[in-house]
Amino acid sequence: MYTDTERCVRAVQSKDARFDGWFFTAVRTTGIYCRPSCPAVPPKVENMTFLPSAAACQQAGYRACKRCRPDSSPGSPEWNARADAVARAMRLIRDGVVDREGVPGLATRLGYSTRQVERQLNAELGAGPLALARAQRAQTARLLIETSGLPMGDVAFAAGFSSIRTFNETVREVYALAPGELRARAAGRRSCPSQPRIPGSISLRLPYRAPLNPDNLFGHLAATAVPGVEEWRAGAYRRTLRLPYGTGVVALTPQPDHVGCQLALTDLRDLTLAISRCRWLLDLDADPEAVDGQLRSDPLLAPLVDKAPGRRVPRTVDAAEFAVRAVLGQQVSTAAARTHAARLVTAYGEPVADPDPEGGLTHLFPSPEALAALAPERLALPRSRRTTLTTLVAALADGSLALGVDSDWEAARARLAALPGFGPWTTEVIAMRALGDPDAFLPSDLGLRKAAAELGLPATPGALTARAAGWRPWRAYAVQYLWATYDHPINHLPV
């Protein structure tokens, strides 16, 4: 995108918010960088330079604009629509892997040398993994400085900085303001929040590209919620989180121009990863204009898109958890799948305390290691499904099957398909919701076939797959639009 100068100029001159996060505008005469929708008067074309990332701008010596705050724009949708090494690296950096494991850890997860990773990221993003991680730390720090009353020392370590000195230097360099000055400016715009009443609790706003239709997104999460792990209460989806340094509880509330996020963490060092997982869960970095534009090209899908544009794919905060739940949901109702999952949670889940005294969250979903100890005969499942579940759990526990945001989609599909009891439906639903493949497709799904037939689309798996070739690479979103034609709880926000 950023190499198409003419298109970038048009986006900047029209202040088109659809391109926020796709590229950044660096202004040579002022030394600042902006998002395309910056409200300031656009600079002269000859003074603009377009760069692919905030890290590249910062590495080139530009500081963030104080009006449009480009670092707070939604993430680039490109990294969630690709499965190559660069996209996988970006998803891992966003999850804080560089902060926890360093560049060697990132390279090991990708299966490349550190030199190859550095070269590929610099070639495509204009910055290496350390610079990209530094830009993310600066963004997290600014978010905490402006939206919380945490002491600056807590902000520094929660954002991933190794020392307060590095934190202060980075904030000054990126924003041309000291941390205290940033907080004072935020207090001038609105009253600065006080220290959270619940220790470790932080309120944030998660931005997204409009439009966003919350009905099937939050409706699906609420309708399939596992008791004790998830709940819908007071207009918010709440769930427990297993994180590297501790545990957490998140409440996500749909709002007209953002998603409200209330996080209670036992260790603030988990903040960056918790935010990343929440954004991933709600598919907030998607580009609805690109998705809906492609799907509208099919005259039979176009009315569904026009009626309720901006549907997202509801994902998961833990790929291994979702794989287990996908097996439990094979050929049973939503209610039965919840019941099976709840039994596992009660027997093998790790107890947690809900920070909200009125909340109903009691456990983390069991880890693969905990489930590896389960006795198959205690499962109220057919014998074949017990074998499927225990084989899956064993593969997840011993590391022979790794599922996550860094997974190679096709390689993961092949490993899943080799397990007993894993047919195309289970494999594709995991690819769609756990791995985040935007082109995952379930032509054998009964609900999808019924919806297709009612619209006049082919109803047999082979013919439907052939017709869906025109929806690529967004077939997972087409599934959401087709599922939404039914009056099912997954398609409606709870009252």
Side-chain angles (χ1 to χ4, degrees), residues 87-233:
R88 292 162 57 208
M90 287 301 294
R91 294 197 288 269
L92 286 170
I93 292 170
R94 186 175 56 196
D95 268 6
V97 166
V98 172
D99 292 335
R100 296 192 302 274
E101 303 173 21
V103 178
L106 173 67
T108 298
R109 290 191 179 220
L110 295 172
Y112 290 92
S113 69
T114 56
R115 183 176 180 181
Q116 285 176 304
V117 172
E118 291 270 5
R119 179 179 56 79
Q120 291 186 52
L121 289 175
N122 272 293
E124 187 157 345
L125 288 155
L130 289 176
L132 291 162
R134 177 179 180 269
Q136 179 168 276
R137 287 194 294 272
Q139 177 184 352
T140 303
R142 180 173 189 164
L143 186 67
L144 290 174
I145 289 168
E146 295 185 337
T147 64
S148 79
L150 291 172
M152 291 301 179
D154 291 346
V155 170
F157 296 114
F161 289 97
S162 58
S163 71
I164 295 177
R165 178 181 177 181
T166 305
F167 159 71
N168 286 327
E169 290 175 348
T170 300
V171 170
R172 283 182 178 274
E173 182 179 338
V174 174
Y175 302 114
L177 291 170
E181 292 173 315
L182 273 179
R183 179 163 286 176
R185 284 173 60 89
R189 293 191 297 268
R190 61 185 181 276
S191 58
C192 187
S194 59
Q195 181 73 12
R197 179 177 59 85
I198 302 172
S201 179
I202 301 169
S203 293
L204 310 167
R205 290 185 170 207
L206 303 181
Y208 56 76
R209 292 176 184 83
L212 180 143
N213 188 319
D215 295 357
N216 74 301
L217 180 59
F218 285 90
H220 203 124
L221 295 173
T224 60
V226 177
V229 175
E230 305 164 284
E231 67 174 0
W232 178 269
R233 191 173 62 78

Side-chain angles (χ1 to χ4, degrees), residues 292-337:
D292 292 352
Q294 178 72 15
L295 299 183
R296 281 192 183 99
S297 65
D298 189 315
L300 296 181
L301 274 186
L304 299 183
V305 178
D306 292 337
K307 180 181 178 181
R311 293 195 184 277
R312 302 300 207 269
V313 177
R315 293 178 179 161
T316 180
V317 296
D318 187 318
E321 171 190 320
F322 184 82
V324 170
R325 292 171 62 172
V327 170
L328 296 176
Q330 288 177 337
Q331 300 178 345
V332 299
S333 67
T334 300

Side-chain angles (χ1 to χ4, degrees), residues 233-255:
R233 191 173 62 78
Y237 166 75
R238 304 179 72 242
R239 73 154 292 148
T240 58
L241 302 170
R242 175 180 281 106
L243 299 162
Y245 297 107
T247 63
V249 170
V250 64
L252 297 164
T253 309
Q255 300 291 352

Side-chain angles (χ1 to χ4, degrees), residues 333-345:
S333 67
T334 300
R338 295 178 67 214
T339 299
H340 290 316
R343 289 171 180 163
L344 288 184
V345 167

Side-chain angles (χ1 to χ4, degrees), residues 4 34 47 63 74 80 150 154 170 202 204 238 256 323 351 405 421 457:
D4 189 341
C34 305
N47 293 329
R63 66 181 186 277
N80 289 347
L150 291 172
D154 291 346
T170 300
I202 301 169
L204 310 167
R238 304 179 72 242
V405 296
L457 292 164

Side-chain angles (χ1 to χ4, degrees), residues 375-422:
E377 62 274 8
R378 295 184 59 185
L379 298 172
L381 297 171
R383 184 186 300 271
S384 61
R385 194 145 332 130
R386 293 182 200 170
T387 301
T388 300
L389 182 61
T390 53
T391 305
L392 168 68
V393 167
L396 291 169
D398 67 20
S400 59
L401 173 64
L403 301 176
V405 296
D406 58 322
S407 295
D408 179 296
W409 296 332
E410 294 310 316
R413 278 182 170 92
R415 293 189 185 97
L416 288 169
L419 299 176
F422 271 78

